[in-house]
Amino acid sequence: MAALALCAALAPGLWPAAGAQAAPRAVPHAAADGKPVAQLSAKEAGKGGSLTVTGRGWRPKALLTLLICGQNMIGGSNSCANGDGRATTTDAHGAFRRKLPVAEPPKPCPCVVHVATVTGAAAAADAPFTVAGHPVAPLPREATGGRLAVLAQPRLAGSSGLLTWFGAPAQRELTVTVGNLGPAPARDPVFRVGTSHGVFAPKWEEQQWRGTIPAGKKARIRLPVELPAGAHGDYLVSLAYGGRTLVEQPWGVGRPWGVTLFWVLLCVVIPTAVFRIGTALVDRVRPHRRDRSRRRSAGRGHAAGRLHGTRTHTKDRTAHDGSTDGPGTPGDSGGLPWFTPDTAPSTTTSTERPTSKGSA
């Protein structure tokens, strides 16, 4: 009886202690730190099976994707089984529960179940998982020794000039703040800058940034971006490092209206120039014909003048010779030039009045 009484007295003190020890097990340590977490119902399963993924600490009503990835997702989503992934939405408390089919990723294990947000602020969590029967290989070593991640929203600095308005290549400077999440410093990292237009794949160009980013530190990186000549429309600038796309930034490029104006003026100037050249050629050919016509008319004028002078001289001689004849002679017609041979009075016609009948 004494032992029972002692147990009854100590029981109220033991129950709070037991509850205090069970409370930390119910809430994950990562969720207590404010970071989202993902938990798996099984640590290993074969292809064709399924597992249940639960999570806490996510943004309420957020859309999430669940993927099984190889190589701890070092190569980004390219190392995940994207075709067998699932999507889910968190509840009002930021928790979710979703079944995920087990599939073999394109890369060897070690594998993880990667949970990440689709819209809104970026957040992600990885849970270790083993795909039974899938190959296992050592993780690839990063050449630079660091693992970089974007810490702030990037921006494109710069503006277009007058030459860009006439079709010159548009140029900008991509400014982004990155942090080194790896255990080793990143020395002279090599980034890949890509530009894509519409549904076309980006065109990548490698650019090396000179400098060192110590482990756990951040740095602001500026990389030049250039589009081809005459480019216009909506473009997307991508920045990749270590096989992963770090960030994407849209870029709207205006139409080079100067090129359009140039072609319009060219269509007006060329016909005008051709017309002026043709007119000049015609003017150069036309004076020779005028000179020939003038020479021909001058020659005809001289010939007519000579002929007229000969006729005049002949008439003068005739008039001069006829002046010695007496009245009524044929030479008198030379002194009356206004009479024509048809209208001149005949010299043979008698001017005497006819005598009346019966007169003497």
Side-chain angles (χ1 to χ4, degrees):
M1 294 295 294
L4 291 176
L6 181 62
C7 291
L10 296 177
L14 294 176
W15 285 111
Q21 293 177 358
R25 295 180 182 178
V27 180
H29 181 70
D33 295 340
K35 297 180 181 180
V37 296
Q39 292 180 338
L40 307 178
S41 60
K43 297 298 182 179
E44 181 177 356
K47 180 181 178 181
S50 63
L51 70 153
T52 302
V53 184
T54 58
R56 297 179 182 179
W58 298 86
R59 190 172 64 253
K61 303 299 181 180
L63 180 61
L64 308 178
T65 57
L66 289 73
L67 299 172
I68 297 179
C69 306
Q71 291 185 345
N72 288 347
M73 202 187 172
I74 293 179
S77 59
N78 294 331
S79 60
C80 302
N82 299 307
D84 297 308
R86 293 293 184 268
T88 185
T89 304
T90 60
D91 57 14
H93 303 284
F96 71 91
R97 182 184 181 89
R98 187 72 162 87
K99 282 189 176 183
L100 178 66
V102 178
E104 293 184 352
K107 300 292 184 179
C109 287
C111 301
V112 294
V113 174
H114 180 73
V115 183
T117 56
V118 178
T119 59
D126 296 335
F129 181 72
T130 302
V131 180
H134 193 62
V136 179
L139 294 177
R141 297 182 59 184
E142 298 185 7
T144 56
R147 186 174 183 180
L148 304 182
V150 176
L151 303 180
Q153 183 67 22
R155 65 185 185 91
L156 291 172
S159 60
S160 300
L162 181 61
L163 296 179
T164 306
W165 198 68
F166 283 94
Q171 297 179 352
R172 292 291 188 275
E173 188 178 60
L174 180 63
T175 303
V176 60
T177 302
V178 298
N180 187 1
L181 306 181
R187 296 182 177 87
D188 298 336
V190 178
F191 296 92
R192 297 181 65 198
V193 180
T195 55
S196 59
H197 180 58
V199 298
F200 296 98
K203 296 181 179 179
W204 298 98
E205 179 184 359
E206 291 187 354
Q207 298 185 17
Q208 187 176 16
W209 183 75
R210 297 294 181 179
T212 301
I213 306 177
K217 300 297 182 179
K218 63 180 181 179
R220 179 173 294 180
I221 297 174
R222 295 182 175 89
L223 300 173
V225 183
E226 182 176 344
L227 296 179
H232 62 277
D234 296 330
Y235 281 80
L236 188 65
V237 180
S238 304
L239 180 66
Y241 175 77
R244 295 188 303 118
T245 301
L246 300 180
V247 72
E248 293 179 343
Q249 179 70 17
W251 182 11
V253 184
R255 183 180 294 273
W257 293 107
V259 179
T260 305
L261 179 61
F262 171 77
W263 284 111
V264 171
L265 295 178
L266 193 63
C267 293
V268 174
V269 170
I270 287 182
T272 305
V274 172
F275 176 77
R276 295 295 300 272
I277 293 174
T279 305
L281 293 177
V282 171
D283 291 340
R284 290 180 64 88
V285 175
R286 188 176 296 175
H288 297 286
R289 296 182 178 178
R290 290 182 177 178
D291 294 342
R292 292 177 183 176
S293 60
R294 289 177 181 176
R295 291 176 183 176
R296 291 178 181 176
S297 61
R300 292 176 182 177
H302 288 302
R306 293 176 183 175
L307 181 59
H308 180 70
T310 304
R311 291 180 179 178
T312 305
H313 182 67
T314 304
K315 290 180 179 181
D316 292 342
R317 290 182 60 184
T318 304
H320 179 72
D321 294 342
S323 62
T324 58
D325 297 340
T329 60
D332 293 339
S333 61
L336 302 175
W338 56 88
F339 291 106
T340 60
D342 297 334
T343 59
S346 176
T347 57
T348 59
T349 306
S350 176
T351 58
E352 295 180 359
R353 296 180 62 187
T355 59
S356 62
K357 188 177 180 179
S359 60

